[in-house]
């Protein structure tokens, strides 16, 4: 059974600091997604990582994927308050029979304080 | 291009009633997914549909829950005889290729 584990689950940061969120998954998958969710809102797609070594950056966020280690990271550079949200990674179950069944981690609740 | 639309946004039901949740995918998307989110939890996959076909329903409870995506009209997630444990946010997503785009969700409260 595919499992996705994120850590930390809670993260309190000061503005201007850097930090990394980790996402480990238990079986082979070539597609990894990062989403952002604000309280009471829907999920916003941040990154789709499709191959080993993929790295994508958008503003202060950078995501990478190591399929051999089954690890993705979401790196936050010089955090600002607007980044406060819950961040989810998700892995495509992709067993050939049903691509699209995403398995989500529990989320990392990020709070950026002045 | 309008995003994924869901209605109602909030739904209150008493135990034993039926809940119907609707999802209209983004224009041109033929893949629809339903997920359930409990408070402080990640999303749990329920079902994946294409027009008139259920592709994967491995996350659907065996009883009381059903889903459809007819040739015309929105996808519908139906919960019969709701119980308190059904209270959750239900999100629909649609996709054309890899990325799933999520709707705003329906927050179901069972009294």
């Amino acid at each position: 059974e595919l499992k996705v584990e994120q850590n930390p689950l809670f993260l309190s940061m000061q503005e201007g600091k850097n930090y990394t969120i980790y996402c480990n998954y238990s079986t082979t998958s070539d597609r990894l997604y990062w989403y952002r969710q604000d309280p009471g809102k829907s999920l916003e797609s941040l990154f789709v990582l499709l191959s080993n070594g993929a790295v994508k950056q958008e503003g202060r966020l950078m995501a990478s994927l190591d399929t051999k280690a089954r690890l993705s990271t979401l790196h936050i550079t010089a955090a600002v308050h607007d980044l406060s949200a819950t961040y989810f990674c998700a892995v495509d179950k992709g067993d050939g029979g049903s691509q699209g069944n995403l398995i989500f981690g529990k989320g990392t609740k990020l709070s950026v304080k002045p | 291009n309008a995003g994924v639309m869901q209605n109602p946004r909030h739904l209150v039901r008493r135990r034993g009633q039926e809940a119907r949740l609707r999802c209209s995918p983004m224009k041109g998307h033929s893949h629809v997914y339903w997920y359930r989110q409990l408070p402080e939890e990640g999303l749990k996959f329920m079902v994946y549909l294409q027009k008139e076909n259920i592709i994967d329903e491995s996350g659907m409870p065996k009883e009381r829950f059903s889903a459809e995506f007819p040739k015309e009209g929105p996808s519908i997630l139906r919960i019969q005889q709701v119980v308190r444990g059904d209270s959750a946010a239900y999100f629909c997503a649609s996709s054309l290729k890899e990325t799933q785009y999520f709707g705003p969700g329906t927050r179901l409260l069972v009294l």
Side-chain angles (χ1 to χ4, degrees):
Chain A
E1 181 187 347
L2 176 57
K3 292 185 180 177
V4 179
E5 291 188 354
Q6 284 182 240
N7 72 84
L9 297 182
F10 297 92
L11 178 55
S12 181
M13 297 176 63
Q14 280 194 310
E15 281 191 327
K17 297 291 186 184
N18 305 333
Y19 209 84
T20 300
I21 299 171
Y22 297 89
C23 175
N24 290 91
Y25 53 99
S26 58
T27 63
T28 303
S29 177
D30 291 331
R31 297 168 185 238
L32 190 135
Y33 305 79
W34 284 96
Y35 287 90
R36 168 183 171 146
Q37 186 179 36
D38 291 290
K41 305 289 186 183
S42 187
L43 278 75
E44 174 191 352
S45 175
L46 295 175
F47 301 108
V48 181
L49 303 169
L50 298 176
S51 61
N52 188 41
V55 177
K56 291 193 175 179
Q57 183 163 7
E58 182 72 36
R60 300 174 188 274
L61 300 178
M62 183 172 71
S64 66
L65 178 62
D66 180 344
T67 57
K68 290 178 181 159
R70 297 177 188 163
L71 170 68
S72 179
T73 61
L74 180 67
H75 187 74
I76 303 155
T77 302
V80 293
H81 179 70
D82 285 352
L83 289 179
S84 298
T86 299
Y87 293 85
F88 291 97
C89 68
V91 175
D92 194 321
K93 184 180 174 184
D95 59 2
S98 63
Q99 283 191 344
N101 176 349
L102 292 185
I103 309 298
F104 280 80
K106 291 194 172 186
T108 297
K109 192 168 184 177
L110 172 65
S111 175
V112 181
K113 302 186 185 302
Chain B
N1 186 7
V4 179
M5 299 176 68
Q6 289 187 248
N7 69 82
R9 298 287 303 276
H10 299 273
L11 183 61
V12 179
R13 284 287 177 265
R14 297 192 181 279
R15 281 179 294 171
Q17 292 184 316
E18 178 179 286
R20 280 187 176 233
L21 288 61
R22 295 175 185 76
C23 170
S24 296
M26 288 179 71
K27 189 174 181 181
H29 288 191
S30 58
H31 304 256
V32 166
Y33 316 83
W34 285 93
Y35 294 84
R36 176 163 61 179
Q37 185 180 34
L38 296 172
E40 307 300 325
E41 294 280 330
L43 278 70
K44 297 279 192 261
F45 169 80
M46 298 181 76
V47 62
Y48 164 29
L49 309 106
Q50 293 182 16
K51 284 285 187 183
E52 300 185 278
N53 286 307
I54 295 174
I55 307 302
D56 181 354
E57 57 182 348
S58 58
M60 288 279 269
K62 295 288 183 250
E63 297 178 347
R64 303 188 297 109
F65 285 72
S66 62
E68 62 176 7
F69 188 16
K71 189 176 178 182
E72 302 289 338
S75 175
I76 295 175
L77 178 68
R78 182 181 176 204
I79 312 172
Q80 295 178 290
Q81 299 174 342
V82 296
V83 300
R84 287 213 175 114
D86 296 333
S87 296
Y90 292 83
F91 289 97
C92 163
S94 73
S95 73
L96 184 61
K97 291 186 179 178
E98 297 92 8
T99 301
Q100 293 184 23
Y101 296 90
F102 283 80
T106 294
R107 279 147 184 87
L108 172 65
L109 175 63
V110 179
L111 300 177

